């Protein structure tokens, strides 16, 4: 087989490789669970936040709960309508970041990227903390150890993602659909009981809530507005995760945009139904719910509840009431809720590397993140995400309520910039579009995005006003940090590009090649390096040996003469056992003697397979190479000699190549098992 | 200047470099403190151990203290006499390891090496723990925080050694001589007071010691023997460190061996005088001293001492009594004792890399340890030593008494093997020596070594019997571990050597060189790589570009045509953004098409200077290189392009080269400041 054939086969590589790394496009029924777990799971903590905030002024304010639920639902509907426009306009999957960058410029794009990075960390922290809460509702022994459980869960997720999870549609579909069935089924059953008047009351129904100091009745109008604003902004936690589909359009079956838009609509309907049902039902069972830090405000017959009182999450309390006579129902609801929360956290582990690779492509993140399969960069991202989430979990003692304060800012920053970008997008296109029907559609889309923007802008202002001191400042600080880092990286890449830009003077060819082959012993690797060096026919060729021991030197010289390679051997003396310095000095000296020539330094390298063998070999070669790279006019040639054990490493490398990477599924990629396919 | 001149200058490199890295040979008055701190510092804890052990059967057994001191002194004298033979016979500084290896074979040498490695860790742990004890005697606020102080001290030492300490004779001389003055002065002053009957009693003199259960009076003869044996073996802690000089003979002024032997004698006399004086004086002031874990055995008027009682080290109690009316004297003694203990710990940090390089030369440790200035290997050694010491300190709560149980075994294992080796040495030489005078000297030396062996053998047996369960098993386990690791490394190197041995078939030259230059962009580094590749005149030359993005590819192809380099460009398609795999496959394909040829892969590399810039560049190149090394018939050529920021790294590298390395002084090396010398 000639080289021509080979290169043709590689040029047609797509066919060759499609057996190994294929595309699976997702039908809507699978795409929904793949992208919905994050958005749907927020029903497990968003209603809780509304009740907590209203409870500040006592349980009497719970009359507002369903109205706030409706307000959140309206915002959600507007946002979902907006994103339906986005998936049509930007089917490439760049999501908010792409929309902001294209329409509002680099700074807006970087702001959105910073917000998304922070959000991924918070998605993990919030979802897992909430999950730990549900776990402790189901298993009394876990009570008061929520932070520990959450940390363990994050570490488990990290380990699984480092290892590579072979995600499949089923992996997401079963728990997500079970969650829908569980919540909607529970709500339906509960509402039926309520209509029949047989709905049991919540455990906490008998309690009363003392208002926080300064919030006693009657509230001033201003006080009421503030109270409702806070409850509303906390409830907007329900919107987190709805943007996921806009990043995943390429993974949908054709017609991609249409299917994505339909799925988004379905997602919105389900999420809103769930949320409203949960809020209404919680009110029906007489639930009383306060900030877990202020349990002493819960009173029973005028006295504070005892110290050991454990306040379970809203869904857990509802399940407990609805399934009072059927405890498997309770455990089922709580278990699938916990699972969906963990799954939601996992989406962050998937989204993080995807975002990283997009940022890398634009020069905002280390370029290595852009290539698939850079294990190191990829692992670092996962570990970073997990550690930051753990820091937050420990700092906030796994209290969802507190973490939520940090969460919503980032989400709404990207919502806002994305809507604003979309308005710009339509305006720009309207400037050139002549077709009347098309123009009408565009104007309609722009109106939808404008409505979306006005809602999300109001929410962002409310969130900033009500949550800045409660923790949102941390998010803004973290976003600023990411922003500065990205700007720094971009600036560095730009500088380097300018410094490296080719000009006309870059045509001169070196006049001669002086090759030196490093000799430590006269063994196969050295002989191979000598042979390779000879094959390149340099203008000058010599072996170079650093002598640190008289006896060894004499022995080597004898062997060299015996071999009679026809290549001269230069001996450099190094009385202090230094190896690197004499060689670097010698190479520099050759170059100085002939500034238009190039020095080719051949380094024989052993290739070993086991990790510990690495420490036993090539350390000096590595150091030497690092040092020679700083010497102008020198090129460094590694001539590998594969020891038998290197096969172990080769096999490991190949296994590595076929590993599943987090986020592959939502990027529309799937790795097939090609170990059976002939190579 | 031609290349010939250059190489001559480098061949005469010693002269050139002697200004930079010179030798300073130590006169006896400096050599003594450099090598003595470890041995002398043991007087700060060895007497304490004797009193603790005797106290098991109550304070009445303290009558034995000075006799045990004498017994230890006799063993020390024998050991020192033995080592005086060693420094004459082995002036190369290989010490116990060399003696054992040469005379008893590889296994004995590896056993000694294991013992020494363990000892270095224990030297740090014991000295620093004892130092922390003295610190808490001087500063009441440190009381009960000894372990924390010790850990902090170890971390400080580690940081200093990683950074590189410019050791000088003065660095050792001042504290060591001050220590001698302090201890001997205190003892003299105390004995004068004792003779005059005005010696104050120790704080603890009024206490009584309840015997441990089963050790009540009257003791059986067997019981007494066991008691004395335990006290004696603990007291032998005083011998630790006397072997240091035998490792440092090359650092002495000529005549090296004679001077080393004299210094050893001085060391022995001073150490014995100090130890006996301290023991006698401790008895005179009526000191009562028990295992710090059994403070409840200390009684005052029949009642246990109160909970807060803090038992200070023996020297601290003596200083307190002797300088009762002159507290600066107390603080002076305690401070210099603390300093000398830290200095003793520092010798381990110096000795560890020296031993490592000797082991590396013999193939028992990673070879990189053998070359001077392998920062990574060297730093790893220091960090390893510090961490192991910290583990021990924490595990044993910085209690010197407990750590001593682990310490003595290792020391005496190497003493024994070393003496046995010396006996073999003389016997071997006697077999060929004919000169009568020389033979007499040899027989005398052998007798001295035989006496030394008989003493150290008895001590080893006693130590094993009395201390095995108390902790010596840990040492033996650790020694076994090091032994197995060294044997594994040796075996690996031997296997590799066999696999790499050159034979006659290794003469074939590759028939052709097919060069490919990796192109990511058409910038200066790529152009340089293309020029270098062209200069080597390969049989085939082409650029290779991995296409992951249609637009980028088109742009590059246009630029390529514009430049008109005359080199064809091959485009490899990679729909999934993989870069490494297509190139590796292409290289393998070329090689398969021409199995007797060699594929030269040119990789343009940016050389940047700041550590964080490393993450932003070359990550893919690095991964590619790692992968290509496993492909047979491929050589990998790094063509560096030095960015402006690389100068920062070059300067850092050069600073690094001139750094002081721990142990340089005792290897007779000193680094001069050559930044002023013209280059």
């Amino acid at each position: 087989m000639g080289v021509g054939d080979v290169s043709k086969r590689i040029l047609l590589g797509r066919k060759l490789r499609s057996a190994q790394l294929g595309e699976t496009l997702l039908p809507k029924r699978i795409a929904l669970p793949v992208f919905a777990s994050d958005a749907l799971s927020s029903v497990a903590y968003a209603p809780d936040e509304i009740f907590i905030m209203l409870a500040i002024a006592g349980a009497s304010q719970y009359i507002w709960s369903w109205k706030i639920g409706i307000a959140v639902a309206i915002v959600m509907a507007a946002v979902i309508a907006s994103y339906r426009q986005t998936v049509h306009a930007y089917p490439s999957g760049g999501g908010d970041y792409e929309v902001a960058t294209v329409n509002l410029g680099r700074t807006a794009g970087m702001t959105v990227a910073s917000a998304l990075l922070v959000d991924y960390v918070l998605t993990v922290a919030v979802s897992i903390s909430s999950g730990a809460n549900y776990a402790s509702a189901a298993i009394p022994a876990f009570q008061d150890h929520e932070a520990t459980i959450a940390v363990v869960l994050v570490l488990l997720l990290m380990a699984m993602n480092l290892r590579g999870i072979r995600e499949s549609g089923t992996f997401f579909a079963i728990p997500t659909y079970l969650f829908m069935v569980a919540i909607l089924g529970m709500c339906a059953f509960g509402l039926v009981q309520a209509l029949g008047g047989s709905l049991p009351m919540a455990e906490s129904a008998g309690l009363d809530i003392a208002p926080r100091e300064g919030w006693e009745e009657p509230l001033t109008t201003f006080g009421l507005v503030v109270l409702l604003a806070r409850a509303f902004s906390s409830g907007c936690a329900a919107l987190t995760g709805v943007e996921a589909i806009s990043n995943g359009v390429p993974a949908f079956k054709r017609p991609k945009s249409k299917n994505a838009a339909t799925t988004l609509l379905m997602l919105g309907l389900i999420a809103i139904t769930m949320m409203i049902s949960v809020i209404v039902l919680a009110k029906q069972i007489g639930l009383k719910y306060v900030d877990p830090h202020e349990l002493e405000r819960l009173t029973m017959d005028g006295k504070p509840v005892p110290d050991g009182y454990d306040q379970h999450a809203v869904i857990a309390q509802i399940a407990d009431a609805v399934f009072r006579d059927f405890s498997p129902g309770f455990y089922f609801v709580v278990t699938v809720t916990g699972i969906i929360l963990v799954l939601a956290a996992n989406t962050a582990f998937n989204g993080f590397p995807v975002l990283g690779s997009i940022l890398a492509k634009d020069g905002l993140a280390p370029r290595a993140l852009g290539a698939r399969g850079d294990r190191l960069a990829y692992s670092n991202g996962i570990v970073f995400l997990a550690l930051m989430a753990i820091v937050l979990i420990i700092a906030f003692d796994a209290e969802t309520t507190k973490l939520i304060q940090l969460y919503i800012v980032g989400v709404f920053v990207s919502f806002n910039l994305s809507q604003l970008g979309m308005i710009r997008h339509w305006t720009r296109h309207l400037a050139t579009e002549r077709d009347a029907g098309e123009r009408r559609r565009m104007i309609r889309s722009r109106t939808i995005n404008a409505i979306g923007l006005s809602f999300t802008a109001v929410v962002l202002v409310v969130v900033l006003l009500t949550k800045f001191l409660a923790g949102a400042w941390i998010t803004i600080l973290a976003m600023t940090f990411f922003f500065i880092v990205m700007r720094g990286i971009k600036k560095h890449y730009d500088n380097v590009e300018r410094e490296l830009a080719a000009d006309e003077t870059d045509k001169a060819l070196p006049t001669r090649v002086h090759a030196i082959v490093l000799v430590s012993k006269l063994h196969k690797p050295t002989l191979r390096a000598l042979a390779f060096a000879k094959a390149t026919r340099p203008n000058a060729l010599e072996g170079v040996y650093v002598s640190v021991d008289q006896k060894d030197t004499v022995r080597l010289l004898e062997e060299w003469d015996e071999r009679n390679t026809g290549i001269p051997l230069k001996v450099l003396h190094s009385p202090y056992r230094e190896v690197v310095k004499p060689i670097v000095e010698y190479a520099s000296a050759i170059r100085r003697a002939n500034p238009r020539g190039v020095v080719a330094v051949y380094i024989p390298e052993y290739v070993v397979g086991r990790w510990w063998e690495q420490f036993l070999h090539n350390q000096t070669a590595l150091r030497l190479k690092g040092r020679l790279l700083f010497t102008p006019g020198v090129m460094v040639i590694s001539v590998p000699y594969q020891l038998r054990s290197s096969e172990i490493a080769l096999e490991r490398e190949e296994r590595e190549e076929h590993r599943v990477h987090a986020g592959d599924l939502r990027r529309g990629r799937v790795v097939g098992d090609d170990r059976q396919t002939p190579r």
Side-chain angles (χ1 to χ4, degrees), chain A residues 129 132-133 136 142-151 310 393 397-398:
Chain A
S129 295
N133 239 302
S136 85
F142 284 2
Q143 232 164 277
D144 297 330
H145 301 290
E146 282 87 352
T148 315
I149 296 164
V151 169
D310 192 43
I393 288 171
D397 202 24

Side-chain angles (χ1 to χ4, degrees), chain A residues 524-525 528 605-610 613 617-618 640-649:
Chain A
K524 281 174 191 282
R528 175 176 290 183
E605 271 186 44
Y606 314 154
V607 182
V608 288
R610 300 183 191 90
E613 292 179 331
H617 298 285
N618 300 328
Y641 185 92
Q642 291 87 9
L643 283 160
R644 276 192 290 271
S645 76
S646 72
E647 282 159 27
I648 301 168

Side-chain angles (χ1 to χ4, degrees), chain A residues 9-51:
Chain A
R9 270 217 10 220
I10 289 169
L11 282 163
L12 299 171
R14 176 125 183 183
K15 193 179 152 202
L16 184 85
R17 224 168 296 116
S18 61
Q20 297 165 23
L21 187 60
E23 285 186 332
T24 35
L25 295 177
L26 305 173
K28 288 194 288 290
R29 68 175 188 286
I30 299 296
L32 179 65
V34 165
F35 293 105
S37 61
D38 186 6
L40 293 184
S41 70
S42 47
V43 80
Y45 46 80
D48 309 38
E49 298 309 314
I50 296 177
F51 286 105

Side-chain angles (χ1 to χ4, degrees), chain A residues 202-329:
Chain A
E203 266 182 3
S204 57
L207 303 177
D208 204 4
I209 301 176
R212 209 182 269 175
E213 214 176 313
W215 291 89
E216 295 86 1
E217 308 232 12
L219 282 178
T220 60
T221 312
F222 177 72
L224 184 62
V225 168
V226 171
L227 183 75
L228 296 183
R230 289 176 71 167
F232 169 69
S233 68
S234 281
C236 282
L239 272 74
T240 56
V242 298
E243 79 290 354
I245 288 180
S246 73
N247 295 313
V249 187
F252 277 81
K253 272 222 166 120
R254 274 163 237 283
K256 289 172 187 282
S257 292
K258 189 164 169 297
N259 281 332
T262 312
T263 310
L264 196 47
L265 185 62
M266 283 155 53
L267 167 65
L269 289 176
I270 296 168
I272 289 173
T273 313
M274 280 186 173
M275 185 187 59
I276 299 288
S277 313
V278 166
I279 291 173
V280 168
L281 209 51
K283 183 81 183 63
Q284 288 293 323
I285 60 169
L287 168 125
K288 301 293 179 321
Y289 203 75
V290 296
D291 188 322
H293 258 275
E294 302 176 337
L295 288 182
E296 69 279 3
R297 281 177 35 228
L298 282 178
T299 55
M300 184 181 271
D301 307 329
K303 282 190 296 268
V305 290
D307 260 3
Y309 179 76
D310 192 43
Q311 177 176 267
H312 293 311
V314 169
I315 287 183
Q317 293 203 33
I318 296 178
D320 177 56
V322 170
F323 298 115
R324 179 83 22 109
D325 305 321
F326 180 62
S327 66

